[in-house]
Amino acid sequence: MEGLLTRCRALPALATCSHQLSQYAPQRFHHCAPGRGKRLMLSRMFQPQKLREDQVLSLEGRSGDLTCKSQRLMLQMGLIHPASPGCYHLLPYTVRAMEKLVRVIDQEMQTIGGQKVNMPSLSPAELWRATKRWDSMGRELLRLRDRHGKEYCLGPTHEEAITALVASQKTLSYKQLPFLLYQVTRKFRDEPRPRFGLLRGREFYMKDMYTFDSSPEAAQLTYSLVCDAYSSLFNRLGLRCIKVQADVGSIGGMVSHEFQLPVDVGEDRLVVCPSCHFSANMETLDSSRTNCPACQGPLTETKGIEVGHTFYLGTKYSSIFNAQFINVHGKPSLAEMGCYGLGVTRILAAAIEVLSTEDCVRWPGLLAPYQVCLIPPKKGSKEEAAAELAGHLYNHITEAVPQLQGEVLLDDRTHLTIGNRLKDANKLGYPFVIIAAKRALDDPAHFEVWCQNTGEVVFLTREGVLELLSQVQVV
């Protein structure tokens, strides 16, 4: 970054401000759909911020309900709004970030051959009774009856539904396998005590993939392939997740791993061996064990947030629903299965939890709702003439850096000082904040650029700004 910023400082200057201003009549800022020549205005955004602590507490009802940083910040900054216990309205900034996360997930899943599907949230009770999970899932399963008395659940996961779907295809051949079928949908779980905002709710978004292979060996290869894709995903997001040995729980199977994001607010207790890199959820080990089962070295304990989970299922579900294929010998065989989850809304909240300060949201660079916030001077101030340059810079950015179309927001609340708007921009975590102030009226014009994720502040010409922003990656 420093090398790039150094090069930007040395670029040719802009034409003089007086020459630029003489070519344009005074302009007003207009809010239009993103695209060439259009501008996104902050004043038009639906974002009910609650910047005072007492306002946030009143939203959740009781002070004891506000228990982690990501929950507090997301409420304060107008990223989420409570609907009912464990359920939240996802507001525009959060939806944009989530859509970007889903695009990154799609890229990783489709790189390994994933095919996207979409299954109903309503799942018939008979499917769950077939696997005995209608009873074993207990009260966490949200159940309902339709007007005809038929029972359903709102799916927390879709092993039954996907296996029944594949089983309905009677002419599958080993040549077609493996199938890697996945979806990104709402899931439901009747949590007894929802808490931590989006980290533990009753309704949430999840990516769930289900794989079908022709042999145990092929299924193990697919399992490794998906785990590697998960590692690639978290690396791209800049999140230091660890893969730990885990319990199979109510889903079942023979092998299971969790992808955990270490953080103090995490509900899972983990152990890691610094010597051989063995790692596990403590629920899989004898509670009295203090040494590593792999190398006998000492274990370090930490806490984590589970953001991903993988299972090798074998034929647990395919045998119940008779999900078969014709093998190389022309005989029917049961498919070997795996299932793989990513908590989409949980990843967003967990990233905010680990990357943010106590007062300011910070996003993974790829997921920031908007990459750039442009702040013109206050109306009536000595620098007001620089407002024209701010408008022209907005146009130059969106035209010269095509990937940033729809990613630049103009803070047109010019009744506020630059300082007040900069504080808001800092709290919301735009990766780049560009200010047109006193030095924009210099010859050559320079803009104040705040690189939020590195803490750097530099003054760049228009060309310098464009070169800096041309390096921004957007999904």
Side-chain angles (χ1 to χ4, degrees):
M1 174 65 80
E2 178 57 34
L4 176 59
L5 294 175
T6 300
R7 292 199 306 276
C8 289
R9 296 185 191 104
L11 288 171
L14 289 171
T16 64
C17 297
S18 58
H19 175 69
Q20 288 182 315
L21 292 174
S22 67
Q23 299 180 61
Y24 298 96
Q27 65 181 161
R28 294 180 179 177
F29 297 129
H30 298 283
H31 180 91
C32 305
R36 187 179 183 90
K38 311 297 183 182
R39 293 176 183 167
L40 289 169
M41 303 311 212
L42 184 57
S43 65
R44 300 292 300 277
M45 294 295 164
F46 180 70
Q47 190 189 12
Q49 295 185 34
K50 306 290 182 182
L51 299 180
R52 295 205 321 266
E53 187 78 10
D54 60 332
Q55 292 176 317
V56 175
L57 294 179
S58 67
L59 288 176
E60 288 286 25
R62 301 184 303 274
S63 61
D65 293 334
L66 198 64
T67 48
C68 70
K69 177 171 58 179
S70 59
Q71 179 186 15
R72 175 174 53 79
L73 287 175
M74 294 186 83
L75 287 165
Q76 282 182 320
M77 305 307 162
L79 303 178
I80 59 175
H81 190 86
S84 62
C87 297
Y88 290 86
H89 301 287
L90 305 184
L91 300 183
Y93 276 53
T94 300
V95 171
R96 280 183 64 90
M98 189 174 72
E99 288 173 344
K100 291 180 178 184
L101 175 55
V102 171
R103 287 199 286 273
V104 179
I105 291 172
D106 284 341
Q107 290 169 2
E108 294 295 337
M109 295 302 99
Q110 291 169 20
T111 294
I112 61 173
Q115 301 179 64
K116 200 168 188 177
V117 298
N118 199 317
M119 291 177 277
S121 294
L122 277 177
S123 188
E126 57 264 27
L127 293 181
W128 289 75
R129 288 197 170 101
T131 60
K132 303 188 185 316
R133 292 210 295 171
W134 184 260
D135 296 319
S136 66
M137 286 288 289
R139 299 173 68 181
E140 287 191 1
L141 202 61
L142 276 165
R143 307 157 201 259
L144 64 154
R145 292 176 184 266
D146 68 11
R147 67 181 65 194
H148 305 294
K150 186 175 176 62
E151 292 183 291
Y152 296 87
C153 67
L154 289 173
T157 183
H158 278 73
E159 286 79 13
E160 285 83 357
I162 193 68
T163 312
L165 173 63
V166 172
S168 70
Q169 311 304 304
K170 301 298 185 183
T171 58
L172 294 180
S173 165
Y174 73 95
K175 295 178 181 180
Q176 296 173 266
L177 302 182
F179 283 141
L180 289 77
L181 306 176
Y182 78 99
Q183 62 178 352
V184 180
T185 59
R186 291 178 186 264
K187 296 290 192 292
F188 304 86
R189 183 178 295 123
D190 193 359
E191 289 283 353
R193 185 171 176 263
R195 54 181 178 163
F196 300 142
L198 297 187
L199 292 178
R200 181 168 292 281
R202 287 179 170 157
E203 183 176 355
F204 50 93
Y205 278 88
M206 180 177 171
K207 188 285 302 179
D208 44 324
M209 173 178 272
Y210 306 91
T211 62
F212 298 82
D213 276 278
S214 58
S215 68
E217 296 77 18
Q220 291 284 3
L221 288 174
T222 298
Y223 188 90
S224 297
L225 192 67
V226 179
C227 286
D228 289 345
Y230 277 21
S231 296
S232 174
L233 169 73
F234 292 120
N235 286 337
R236 289 179 65 186
L237 298 180
L239 300 176
R240 190 182 62 84
C241 288
I242 55 175
K243 177 184 171 186
V244 305
Q245 175 183 303
D247 187 79
V248 297
S250 63
I251 289 179
M254 293 167 279
V255 177
S256 176
H257 291 89
E258 294 167 345
F259 287 77
Q260 293 273 356
L261 191 58
V263 62
D264 289 341
V265 77
E267 296 185 281
D268 291 315
R269 295 173 61 202
L270 316 174
V271 289
V272 178
C273 177
S275 301
C276 70
H277 303 296
F278 169 86
S279 56
N281 191 311
M282 285 192 68
E283 66 186 10
T284 67
L285 301 177
D286 187 324
S287 59
S288 62
R289 176 179 284 276
T290 58
N291 61 339
C292 176
C295 71
Q296 306 308 310
L299 291 170
T300 300
E301 186 174 337
T302 186
K303 292 182 178 180
I305 298 172
E306 178 193 333
V307 288
H309 207 150
T310 61
F311 300 82
Y312 170 44
L313 301 173
T315 59
K316 174 180 176 177
Y317 293 90
S318 58
S319 61
I320 294 171
F321 294 101
N322 203 29
Q324 295 183 332
F325 66 96
I326 303 302
N327 65 23
V328 68
H329 304 294
K331 304 292 184 181
S333 294
L334 291 172
E336 294 280 334
M337 290 179 59
C339 67
Y340 311 84
L342 286 172
V344 177
T345 40
R346 182 177 284 190
I347 289 172
L348 281 182
I352 289 174
E353 187 72 36
V354 300
L355 297 177
S356 301
T357 68
E358 286 300 317
D359 301 313
C360 302
V361 171
R362 290 295 178 267
W363 307 86
L366 286 178
L367 306 187
Y370 295 94
Q371 290 291 330
V372 180
C373 179
L374 186 57
I375 301 178
K378 181 182 179 181
K379 185 177 181 180
S381 67
K382 294 179 181 179
E383 300 85 18
E384 185 176 9
E388 294 294 333
L389 295 180
H392 303 326
L393 180 62
Y394 185 108
N395 294 342
H396 286 306
I397 292 171
T398 55
E399 292 172 5
V401 189
Q403 72 266 29
L404 292 184
Q405 288 189 11
E407 292 288 336
V408 183
L409 199 60
L410 187 66
D411 191 341
D412 59 324
R413 302 172 302 163
T414 53
H415 61 285
L416 298 176
T417 66
I418 286 176
N420 284 333
R421 284 176 286 160
L422 179 59
K423 286 180 182 178
D424 287 351
N426 188 38
K427 286 176 178 290
L428 283 164
Y430 307 99
F432 298 94
V433 180
I434 303 174
I435 301 171
K438 184 177 181 179
R439 289 199 58 185
L441 298 175
D442 289 350
D443 182 12
H446 282 72
F447 299 91
E448 186 176 347
V449 181
W450 290 64
C451 305
Q452 302 273 45
N453 292 336
T454 64
E456 295 177 275
V457 183
V458 293
F459 288 88
L460 301 176
T461 62
R462 182 189 69 181
E463 287 79 3
V465 170
L466 296 180
E467 181 174 348
L468 176 65
L469 296 181
S470 70
Q471 308 301 310
V472 175
Q473 293 185 1
V474 177
V475 291

